[in-house]
């Protein structure tokens, strides 16, 4: 049986453009973008013209009333995600939502509860997981061939300046909800837990040094993982050379990512086995390997498959919860100057908001 071609409405024409260019437009047998929505008519016209998408609306409510739209893809500023995702689920749409999925763990739990009651499902975005290098490492780890995790280092060294922060919602706690830890390094930190498993404890320091903004633009942290492995995080928006670099040392293999700041999952990944036996098992694990496309193409391809088969999405709500739990712990540690242990449940003082008390 062939899987159906699904109709999508993209809401928000910023990163929404890349969802189309790198994702839906490369998978034309599986998706068709039927409608665009943005409150800014100029952005709507530009993106609509670029991809010949005729239906353009400025009202989100109008999208929810479109009977021929299967998927609502939310690419609006962070403060709108929860309200729009809840409304789209209530309207019976499949929902895709950009990061950060929500502004607190309480809100994520609300989305998880709403999805449980809904007939449709919600997939958060973490497209950095997709790329041929990282996915091969994931296969090796999943098959148990990497062995005991020892240590990871995760660097997110990007550059942002005045132009980027001229968009009014950015740089403020109220509307961006956080800085480099929430908006940028969240991808690399998701890759850390994707490959090495959950975090048990964190100690973090943050600073705002690069731009005149409220939220942090530099951060470091020291992590203990549930497995006992250790990890260090370093993130800044003040690096003249932009890179993302991830290194994972396991008992039987060391992985080092490529340095592409926005596609660290792509080849070349260095995969260094610890012994001839480890090399043989890794070769066996990858014997039937099929190329995994990068970023949105890889993510949406797997999403389509999972939706058709009714299986788990390539990024789940619990993945989004785990990443925002780490963000909560990092912000709380930076604010209090103390180590913070996970998990973070409803009784935690930062469950309803990770924002520092004094802002
Ligand atoms: N996954 C990634 O790599 C990635 C990259 C960039 C941004 N993002 C995330 O995507 C989201 C959007 O970021 P951006 O950089 O595209 O921002 P942006 O400001 O460039 O684009 C957001 C668009 O949403 C529109 N909008 C605002 N309110 C709306 C509403 N009520 N209905 C319809 N449209 C509305 C705005 O007019 C704007 O065009 C953020 O949460 C951001 O963190 C993710």
């Amino acid at each position: 049986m062939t899987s159906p071609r699904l109709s999508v409405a993209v809401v928000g024409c910023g990163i929404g453009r890349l969802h189309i260019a790198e994702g839906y437009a490369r998978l034309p047998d599986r998706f068709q973008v039927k409608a665009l929505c943005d409150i800014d008519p100029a952005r709507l016209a530009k993106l609509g013209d670029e991809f010949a998408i005729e239906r353009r609306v400025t009202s989100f409510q109008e999208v929810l009333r479109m009977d021929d739209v299967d998927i609502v893809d939310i690419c609006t500023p962070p403060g709108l995600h929860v309200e729009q995702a809840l409304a789209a689920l209530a309207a019976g749409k499949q929902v895709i939502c950009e990061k950060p999925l929500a502004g607190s763990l309480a809100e994520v739990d609300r989305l998880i509860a709403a999805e449980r009651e809904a007939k449709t499902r919600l997939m958060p975005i973490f497209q950095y997981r997709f790329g041929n290098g990282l996915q091969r490492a994931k296969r090796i780890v999943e098959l148990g061939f990497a062995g005991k995790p020892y240590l990871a280092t995760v660097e997110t060294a990007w550059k942002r300046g005045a132009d980027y922060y001229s968009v009014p919602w950015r740089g403020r706690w109220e509307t961006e909800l956080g800085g480099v830890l929430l908006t940028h390094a969240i991808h690399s930190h998701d890759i850390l837990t994707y490959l090495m498993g959950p975090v048990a404890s964190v100690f973090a320091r943050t600073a705002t040094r690069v731009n005149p903004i409220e939220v942090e633009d530099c951060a470091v942290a020291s992590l203990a993982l549930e497995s006992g492995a250790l990890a260090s995080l370093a993130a800044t928006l003040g690096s003249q050379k932009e890179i993302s670099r991830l290194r994972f040392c396991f008992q039987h293999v060391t992985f080092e990512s490529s340095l592409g700041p926005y596609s660290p999952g792509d080849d070349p990944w260095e995969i260094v086995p610890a012994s001839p036996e480890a090399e043989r098992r890794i070769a066996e694990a990858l014997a039937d390997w099929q190329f995994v496309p990068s970023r949105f193409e890889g993510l949406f391809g797997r999403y389509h498959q999972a939706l058709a088969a009714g299986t788990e999405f390539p990024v789940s709500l619990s993945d989004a919860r785990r990443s925002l739990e780490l963000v909560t712990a990092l912000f709380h540690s930076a604010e209090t100057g103390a180590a913070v242990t996970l998990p973070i449940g409803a009784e935690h003082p930062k469950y309803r908001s990770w924002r520092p008390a004094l802002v």
Side-chain angles (χ1 to χ4, degrees):
M1 196 182 83
T2 49
S3 308
R5 188 177 185 223
L6 300 168
S7 309
V8 185
V10 173
V11 184
C13 295
I15 189 68
R17 184 188 170 277
L18 287 188
H19 286 212
I20 300 172
E22 291 184 357
Y24 305 125
R26 294 189 189 164
L27 301 165
D29 55 326
R30 283 166 266 181
F31 298 100
Q32 179 186 20
V33 181
K34 272 252 165 75
L36 290 179
C37 172
D38 200 298
I39 51 171
D40 178 342
R43 273 198 137 177
L44 204 48
K46 188 158 184 267
L47 190 59
D49 289 351
E50 183 180 353
F51 291 95
I53 300 159
E54 296 310 323
R55 200 186 303 167
R56 306 163 192 184
V57 299
T58 51
S59 152
F60 180 67
Q61 292 307 319
E62 211 175 320
V63 172
L64 301 185
R65 288 193 293 271
M66 293 175 186
D67 289 337
D68 58 352
V69 162
D70 305 305
I71 300 167
V72 174
D73 181 0
I74 300 169
C75 302
T76 50
L80 297 175
H81 292 173
V82 174
E83 164 200 327
Q84 290 184 331
L86 287 170
L89 283 175
K93 302 298 185 194
Q94 301 292 346
V95 186
I96 294 177
C97 185
E98 260 298 348
K99 43 65 39 176
L101 178 63
S104 68
L105 288 173
E107 285 184 348
V108 180
D109 287 344
R110 214 173 135 210
L111 287 170
I112 291 172
E115 197 216 36
R116 211 172 284 136
E117 297 298 309
K119 291 195 178 65
T120 49
R121 292 198 279 158
L122 165 56
M123 182 181 75
I125 290 279
F126 274 133
Q127 85 276 18
Y128 282 57
R129 289 179 173 194
F130 291 89
N132 200 52
L134 193 161
Q135 285 297 320
R136 280 185 300 149
K138 178 70 173 169
R139 157 90 63 98
I140 294 162
V141 171
E142 269 180 350
L143 289 173
F145 293 173
K148 184 176 169 183
Y150 290 159
L151 180 131
T153 53
V154 181
E155 257 177 285
T156 312
W158 294 3
K159 185 178 175 180
R160 295 290 183 276
D163 258 17
Y164 179 82
Y165 284 108
S166 66
V167 174
W169 65 264
R170 294 202 180 115
R172 295 190 290 126
W173 284 105
E174 186 65 35
T175 45
E176 190 175 350
L177 314 174
V180 68
L181 286 174
L182 180 73
T183 302
H184 310 90
I186 194 166
H187 292 288
S188 310
H189 301 167
D190 170 65
I191 295 172
L192 166 68
T193 55
Y194 187 54
L195 284 189
M196 264 201 180
V199 177
S201 160
V202 315
F203 182 87
R205 294 180 198 276
T206 60
T208 307
R209 302 184 60 73
V210 185
N211 285 286
I213 52 175
E214 273 180 16
V215 295
E216 84 292 349
D217 55 22
C218 295
V220 290
S222 155
L223 274 50
L225 307 187
E226 271 181 17
S227 61
L230 303 178
S232 77
L233 314 179
T236 181
L237 298 179
S239 175
Q240 296 311 314
K241 177 181 169 188
E242 290 193 291
I243 61 159
S244 298
R245 171 165 40 207
L246 299 98
R247 292 192 95 254
F248 298 94
C249 302
F250 288 86
Q251 182 183 10
H252 300 307
V253 59
T254 293
F255 302 109
E256 183 164 331
S257 74
S258 56
L259 299 186
Y262 305 112
S263 54
D266 283 355
D267 284 323
W269 268 51
E270 216 182 324
I271 300 180
V272 186
S275 64
E277 170 61 9
E279 188 171 5
R280 192 190 57 71
R281 296 185 87 195
I282 288 169
E284 186 187 303
L286 301 176
D288 62 345
W289 187 251
Q290 297 203 339
F291 181 82
V292 177
S294 191
R295 290 172 45 99
F296 292 113
E297 184 180 354
L299 173 62
F300 291 164
R302 293 258 183 105
Y303 170 69
H304 189 278
Q305 236 173 12
L307 203 53
T311 51
E312 195 184 342
F313 285 154
V315 182
S316 68
L317 280 177
S318 52
D319 294 335
R321 191 186 194 288
R322 188 167 67 177
S323 82
L324 293 176
E325 186 182 40
L326 176 58
V327 163
T328 307
L330 292 169
F331 281 145
H332 191 45
S333 172
E335 184 185 357
T336 57
V340 173
T341 52
L342 286 74
I344 293 180
E347 71 299 334
H348 192 276
K350 293 294 181 182
Y351 176 72
R352 288 183 193 288
S353 170
W354 53 63
R355 278 167 67 168
L358 294 177
V359 297

